Amino acid sequence: KAGVTQTPRYLIKTRGQQVTLSCSPISGHRSVSWYQQTPGQGLQFLFEYFSETQRNKGNFPGRFSGRQFSNSRSEMNVSTLELGDSALYLCASSLEGSNQPQHFGDGTRLSIL
Amino acid sequence: DQQVKQNSPSLSVQEGRISILNCDYTNSMFDYFLWYKKYPAEGPTFLISISSIKDKNEDGRFTVFLNKSAKHLSLHIVPSQPGDSAVYFCAGFKNTGNQFYFGTGTSLTVIP
């Protein structure tokens, strides 16, 4: 069974640009969550999608947005990139969400120059 | 507001000894706690969980203890092995919020 796939693995952008990250969940999983990991901050929750609807949202500015498609694949978009957006972005999926353990992808390492 | 805290950024333990990783939380409304392990360049993988109505859960070499009065949980690894060297994250989950709250992680090094 294929795991959670995130593309691309690495990305370099400059300030002011925008970026789109992609996540393909495990087949059959309908809940997809996104996290930002930075040194000393742990995993900060961005948002969760379930059946194409944003069900939950963390405390991030509106520059961070996402969407989920009918096949449960999800994309995350960050506009007007700032230096502080440099981080590892992780996607996690689970069957129904709720308290089920999430399965994580290997992340996209975003570097802002 | 960091609702789940891991105050030890790193821990070193000799192979064969016990590793104890600690986690504190501020929100008494968590229904469920989990531990994840993360190797470099990989995503976190689920290790073990515990319901807030339990005080202990065991799975092989891994045991999680929950002390609700102290709002503290710990992960015990016995015996520790070099392959256990990784970053460990604890997380709390609230059924009402449908969101996981992660700690900042503890880097465990098991010395052969």
Side-chain angles (χ1 to χ4, degrees):
Chain A
K1 193 175 188 181
V4 178
T5 304
Q6 291 188 246
T7 56
R9 287 297 309 275
Y10 302 93
L11 205 47
I12 299 175
K13 291 285 187 179
T14 57
R15 281 183 299 174
Q17 287 187 309
Q18 69 94 29
V19 67
T20 299
L21 312 181
S22 179
C23 172
S24 293
I26 290 172
S27 178
H29 284 193
R30 294 197 293 163
S31 170
V32 174
S33 297
W34 288 89
Y35 295 87
Q36 180 194 66
Q37 184 189 2
T38 53
Q41 292 296 313
L43 275 68
Q44 302 289 313
F45 173 75
L46 281 153
F47 27 66
E48 186 230 359
Y49 286 87
F50 182 82
S51 293
E52 303 179 65
T53 300
Q54 187 181 88
R55 191 161 64 171
N56 208 350
K57 188 177 188 304
N59 190 26
F60 276 80
R63 299 185 297 108
F64 292 82
S65 64
R67 59 179 175 167
Q68 187 180 34
F69 301 94
S70 58
N71 61 358
S72 293
R73 190 177 72 85
S74 177
E75 288 182 347
M76 189 191 92
N77 185 277
V78 188
S79 62
T80 320
L81 287 165
E82 301 176 359
L83 292 177
D85 297 333
S86 295
L88 179 68
Y89 290 87
L90 290 161
C91 164
S93 76
S94 64
L95 272 169
E96 296 284 335
S98 187
N99 61 4
Q100 295 169 340
Q102 296 178 315
H103 299 261
F104 283 84
D106 290 338
T108 295
R109 173 72 63 184
L110 176 62
S111 298
I112 311 301
L113 303 180
Chain B
D1 177 32
Q2 195 74 28
Q3 298 191 30
V4 177
K5 299 177 184 178
Q6 293 175 259
N7 293 317
S8 298
S10 61
L11 175 69
S12 290
V13 171
Q14 289 285 338
E15 181 180 3
R17 298 288 189 101
I18 183 172
S19 294
I20 300 176
L21 297 108
N22 293 304
C23 183
D24 297 299
Y25 60 95
T26 58
N27 193 327
S28 58
M29 301 301 289
F30 283 128
D31 296 293
Y32 189 56
F33 298 90
L34 307 90
W35 284 93
Y36 283 84
K37 179 168 76 172
K38 185 181 185 299
Y39 293 117
E42 294 182 12
T45 56
F46 169 71
L47 201 55
I48 192 169
S49 64
I50 186 167
S51 165
S52 61
I53 63 173
K54 302 268 179 89
D55 53 22
K56 177 182 174 182
N57 188 27
E58 199 170 349
D59 184 2
R61 297 185 298 113
F62 303 91
T63 302
V64 57
F65 295 93
L66 176 62
N67 183 334
K68 288 184 284 294
S69 60
K71 294 182 183 167
H72 177 85
L73 67 156
S74 60
L75 174 68
H76 293 211
I77 306 173
V78 183
S80 300
Q81 299 173 354
D84 296 329
S85 297
V87 177
Y88 289 79
F89 291 96
C90 67
F93 183 88
K94 285 185 287 187
N95 287 333
T96 51
N98 202 54
Q99 177 180 335
F100 289 92
Y101 294 83
F102 282 84
T104 52
T106 296
S107 178
L108 172 66
T109 301
V110 180
I111 303 164

